[in-house]
Amino acid sequence: MNFYSVRAIYTFEMARTARTLLQSIVSPVISTSLYFVVFGAAIGSRITEIEGVSYGAFIVPGLIMLMLLTQSVSNASFGIFFPKFSGTIYELLSAPVSSFEIVLGYVGAAATKSILLGLIILATAGFFVPLQIAHPFWMLLFLVLTAVTFSLLGFIIGIWADGFEKLQLVPLLIITPLTFLGGSFYAIDMLPPFWQGVTLFNPVVYLVSGFRWSFYGISDVSLGASLTMILLFLALSLAVVSWIFKTGYRIKP
Amino acid sequence: MTSNLEAPLRRAERDAERVVAPPIVSVENLSKTYASGFQALKHIDLEIRRGEIFALLGPNGAGKTTLISIICGLVNASEGRVLADGFDIERDYREARSRIGLVPQELTNEAFETVWATVSFSRGLFGKPPNPEHIERVLKSLALWDKRNNKLITLSGGMKRRVLIAKALSHEPRILFLDEPTAGVDVELRREMWEVVRGLRDSGVTIILTTHYIEEAEEMADRIGVINNGEIVLVEEKRELMRKLGSKQLTLHLLHPLGEIPEALIAYHLELAADGKELIYHYDASLALDCESGDDASGITALLGDLDAAGIHFKDLHTKQSSLEEIFVSLVRGRQ
């Protein structure tokens, strides 16, 4: 393991976050706070409790998950896309680092940022709604696994994208709709039976459900199914990243 | 007297060491065909000697950057093998790459980073523990010390180029690739950078540079390689190359202008210039006068004798040797 190389990439990426604090931390926190105000306080006051949990508290795990997914993808994709775009990737490719170390540096930094952001949003939520975390270990495990998995997905998107448009395409057209339709703001059984069936094909449902279970002990699908789905997705992302480095796809002609 | 001899003797010693020591870069049967089907390199064999400045010349698209990119790990080879300081660039990539520094052609950098941060990052990326003293030495040698806290976006083109060199030197490489190092750099700065490169060579770093500026190769290189259409056309000591391929031109400034070349001198293929005031004779620079036998294959001795016999006198003369640029152009054209 080339410790200094991984540290260099990791600290470089973290320094970028510090430089862009407004965009990286403040902006997501403000937008999540707005969700709490609109959905939690304004609309939520008209909605009855869901399985014994107030609506404002019910949406907290889903909102954290929404930010976690979008920010993981966005951080990691930008982190690797920018060196490609500016040409500084030459240095990364000519350095004595393995593909594992490159991924560890970039994905590690992106996941760290997302986890920090998730925890900040969680703390922010505490100002708006009464919070309880029934299974703190599982909550952290889901937080870390989801951040790492979606940072890996972001890394793949960053390699695949050959322009800023494509960089935005997957987060905007796939991640955000899947999260909104993945039970962030409602329980699956609130949907008509047909859409309940359809929604089970949405992988984000399993993430939100597992994460919400760690807070309130209530879930749409079983904990095992949630865990299996996230591990499956992690394995798939790792396989794609390993293929990218093996073939040099879009980084090494 | 002794001090006058020291420099050439040291140079001769260094030259001898370079030739005897195993090559620091060894390229064997290297080929590259891109996915588009374009064959950029065709069975290249090349050896770079330890501690030399090697200039790789070639027209646009000849394969210079592809060759450098493969050695540095940016492009996959289709066929062949490269050893850097004895280490295979694929099998032992960590060892090989830690010995190599690369200064790319494009001015690529992280615009919002400071000079100090970006150079320190490069050292870490290449697996070296922090060493502020070394970074300070590098920045001072490249006249960047005063700019260490400046963001890269605020620097001039020449300074950005020097930052790229500083980044490449941050991990103390033994081999430095400079891809068009002085492109877009003004004349004064170019000369300063040549001094920096010479200083690096004197500290034991092997330099491989590609350039469009023949003057640059002529000024700095110990050996020259010419690449064209993906093939190495020749590799030669610079002095030897100029001696072998350089034609010389003798210009005689005549005392009385000539209207035409006299019959007796037709065999010399002379040219008249400046309204008959100058007589020009081209000859092969490699055909020197044999001091022992007195034979002069260049034909100059015979020409001067014949001119005297024909009653043609001159008040001055000068000779001019082809520049590397002229040699390069004739080589590339010859292949086409």
Side-chain angles (χ1 to χ4, degrees), chain B residues 136-148:
Chain B
E136 184 178 334
R137 268 196 307 277
V138 169
L139 292 183
K140 283 183 172 165
S141 73
L142 290 160
L144 284 168
W145 182 243
D146 293 341
K147 302 283 180 188
R148 64 189 179 282

Side-chain angles (χ1 to χ4, degrees), chain A residues 50-51 58 181-193 195-200 202 204-206 208-209 212 219-221:
Chain A
I50 301 173
E51 297 186 46
F58 179 83
L181 300 173
S184 294
F185 298 100
Y186 54 85
I188 301 300
D189 58 15
M190 290 161 77
L191 295 171
W195 290 108
Q196 280 187 38
V198 171
T199 213
L200 290 177
N202 178 356
V204 178
V205 164
Y206 298 85
V208 172
S209 169
R212 185 174 289 135
S219 60
D220 294 316
V221 293

